[in-house]
């Protein structure tokens, strides 16, 4: 039986990702937990020209994300978290924003990475469902590549796995 692993030595990860996305037909990228948009910037720098839809609930990180994507007509930004049901949830803000989460932090995480400690009160953020977003804004027959970086909330993002083929 053939392995589905594709291992490349010496190629930077962002270039490899862009090559893989081109090879599978430039799917629509859903960047869930985009923070300041570095994943999208990396894909663009590596030559990926397909659609990117980035989702980020933290207002300060979203502002930077929106600035980075503003001049790119194929990069859409949405100021929201993604969950199983639409509504609002409280997000815990971390000193280093990439550790902010809709879930409470595990004590092991905070002791291993003190710079990820929560700061201030949790803030309310909009929550949308990816299925509803895809139905309203995208061609449901198009292949999707879903990147999740949501600090333990991955199982609760809620996308119909039939539509996330890659």
């Amino acid at each position: 039986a053939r392995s589905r692993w594709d291992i490349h030595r010496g190629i930077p990860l962002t270039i490899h990702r862009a090559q893989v996305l081109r090879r599978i037909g430039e799917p629509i990228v859903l960047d869930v937990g985009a923070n300041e948009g570095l994943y999208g910037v990396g894909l663009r720098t590596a030559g990926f020209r397909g659609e990117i839809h980035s989702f980020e609930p933290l207002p300060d990180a979203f502002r930077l994300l929106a600035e980075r994507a503003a001049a790119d007509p194929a990069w859409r930004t949405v100021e929201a978290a993604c969950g199983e049901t639409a509504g609002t949830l409280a997000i815990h803000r971390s000193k280093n924003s990439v550790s902010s989460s809709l879930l409470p932090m595990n004590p092991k995480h905070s002791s291993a990475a003190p710079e990820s400690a929560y700061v201030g009160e949790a803030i309310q953020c909009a929550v949308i469902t990816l299925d509803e977003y895809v139905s309203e804004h995208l061609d449901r027959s198009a292949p999707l590549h879903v990147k999740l970086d949501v600090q333990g909330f991955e199982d609760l993002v809620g996308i119909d796995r039939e539509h996330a083929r890659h």
Side-chain angles (χ1 to χ4, degrees), residues 25-72:
E26 295 222 348
I28 297 170
V29 171
L30 302 178
D31 180 9
V32 182
N35 198 261
E36 298 174 0
L38 295 181
Y39 185 78
V41 168
L43 289 178
R44 289 296 191 241
T45 301
F48 178 75
R49 296 292 165 242
E51 286 183 52
I52 300 173
H53 296 257
S54 295
F55 305 86
E56 175 55 44
L58 287 175
D60 48 347
F62 180 80
R63 275 191 293 282
L64 289 169
L65 166 66
E67 287 173 16
R68 286 190 165 119
D72 186 337

Side-chain angles (χ1 to χ4, degrees), residues 80-134:
C82 297
E84 288 182 305
T85 57
T88 59
L89 286 174
I91 187 166
H92 307 280
R93 298 173 60 99
S94 175
K95 194 182 320 178
N96 69 349
S97 68
V98 296
S99 293
S100 298
S101 180
L102 294 166
L103 300 172
M105 188 178 298
N106 183 309
K108 288 181 183 178
H109 181 137
S110 57
S111 65
E115 68 281 1
S116 65
Y118 292 145
V119 294
E121 296 293 318
I123 60 170
Q124 293 296 309
C125 67
V127 179
I128 64 170
T129 70
L130 281 180
D131 282 336
E132 188 173 302
Y133 182 86
V134 169

Side-chain angles (χ1 to χ4, degrees), residues 129-144:
T129 70
L130 281 180
D131 282 336
E132 188 173 302
Y133 182 86
V134 169
S135 291
E136 291 177 10
H137 301 285
L138 305 177
D139 173 4
R140 285 190 72 96
S141 67
L144 300 177

